[in-house]
Amino acid sequence: MHTPTHAEPIPARLINPLAATDRAQEIMRSAFRDTPPRPQSGTRNSQAKLTERKVAAIRRAADLGANLAALAEAFGISERACRHIADRTSWSHLPEQG
């Protein structure tokens, strides 16, 4: 059995075990306080292949029954992207053309 001959210091984590927990929780909370900037949508995205006019053209053609694969090839995008544009799940920030 260990018998200390002199007073050993008590580790700080044993004196106040909540201090580390409180600090961790504060770090977690701060991650949600500073909201990251919203992703750039549409033509504000530097990687966008389409313009608003092209998106409107894709939607009009799709509404008239055009083949999405042919539209996708014509505009240089994937068929999936074309389908999302036609379904209005992407580029949804654009108003409906009347």
Side-chain angles (χ1 to χ4, degrees):
M1 181 161 151
H2 175 70
T3 31
T5 56
H6 64 282
E8 295 177 1
I10 300 172
R13 63 182 170 79
L14 296 178
I15 295 172
N16 186 359
L18 295 179
T21 305
D22 292 344
R23 178 69 183 135
Q25 288 176 351
E26 180 59 30
I27 291 170
M28 292 291 290
R29 281 191 213 105
S30 69
F32 294 101
R33 264 190 230 121
D34 303 325
T35 57
R38 295 182 60 142
Q40 298 297 318
S41 59
T43 54
R44 291 180 294 177
N45 182 339
S46 63
Q47 299 295 313
K49 293 183 179 180
L50 302 173
T51 63
E52 293 177 0
R53 291 182 67 185
K54 289 180 179 180
V55 170
I58 291 171
R59 287 180 177 172
R60 279 193 308 273
D63 289 345
L64 294 173
N67 183 324
L68 293 181
L71 282 173
E73 187 176 340
F75 285 94
I77 59 175
S78 69
E79 186 175 348
R80 181 179 181 177
C82 192
R83 183 175 60 251
H84 284 288
I85 290 170
D87 293 341
R88 279 119 173 118
T89 55
S90 68
W91 289 78
S92 58
H93 64 282
L94 295 180
E96 281 295 320
Q97 301 293 324

